[in-house]
Amino acid sequence: MQSLGRHVLAEVYGCRFEVLNDIKKVQDIMVNAALEAGAEVREVVFHKFSPQGVSGVVVISESHLAIHTWPELGYAAVDVFTCGDRVDPWDACNYMAQMFGAESVDASEIKRGMMTEQEERLVVNI
């Protein structure tokens, strides 16, 4: 069976407060993570919370990267979903963790859109 995409869900711990609380830094890191993984960036939307925290999404041709940060805890919830086999979501996830100064990452990958050979033929023929 083949999948349509790969979705990495990451719990990123021990990150630097000053990075996770800076909307510009978080946005730049996420856009660069997408580019480092070979993705094509389409849209970028981020929001800064008061008194702290950032949420955002980078829409890529291959799907998306999303984040919500808790700077006071040094924690970020990250997900990277890529369709096809050209972009590796782990490349983006690892880049973000490094740039956030993470002490540890607990991540897992979910295959999305599992398809049998017959379903694959139907998708191709449509």
Side-chain angles (χ1 to χ4, degrees):
M1 284 203 307
Q2 186 78 344
S3 69
L4 296 176
R6 300 165 63 194
H7 200 159
V8 173
L9 302 173
E11 309 291 311
V12 187
Y13 299 101
C15 301
R16 296 189 313 266
F17 177 93
E18 67 277 3
V19 175
L20 293 187
N21 201 44
D22 186 322
I23 189 171
K24 176 80 168 113
K25 286 181 184 175
V26 173
Q27 179 175 315
D28 288 348
I29 288 168
M30 291 195 57
V31 167
N32 286 329
L35 296 173
E36 286 284 323
E40 184 176 309
V41 174
R42 293 295 185 172
E43 299 285 337
V44 177
V45 178
F46 281 80
H47 177 78
K48 174 76 168 74
F49 293 96
S50 181
Q52 66 246 342
V54 173
S55 282
V57 64
V58 175
V59 178
I60 57 177
S61 295
E62 301 79 7
S63 193
H64 72 271
L65 291 78
I67 192 167
H68 187 77
T69 73
W70 284 263
E72 71 278 18
L73 301 175
Y75 169 75
V78 171
D79 74 276
V80 182
F81 183 19
T82 62
C83 298
D85 56 5
R86 194 178 63 78
V87 177
D88 186 341
W90 289 104
D91 291 343
C93 186
N94 291 334
Y95 178 87
M96 284 186 276
Q98 179 184 4
M99 298 306 293
F100 295 149
E103 293 174 1
S104 66
V105 178
D106 182 11
S108 60
E109 180 178 323
I110 300 169
K111 301 289 187 198
R112 304 295 301 266
M114 295 301 291
M115 309 208 30
T116 66
E117 279 188 47
Q118 183 177 357
E119 289 168 329
E120 289 175 41
R121 284 193 297 270
L122 291 174
V123 170
V124 172
N125 291 328
I126 292 176

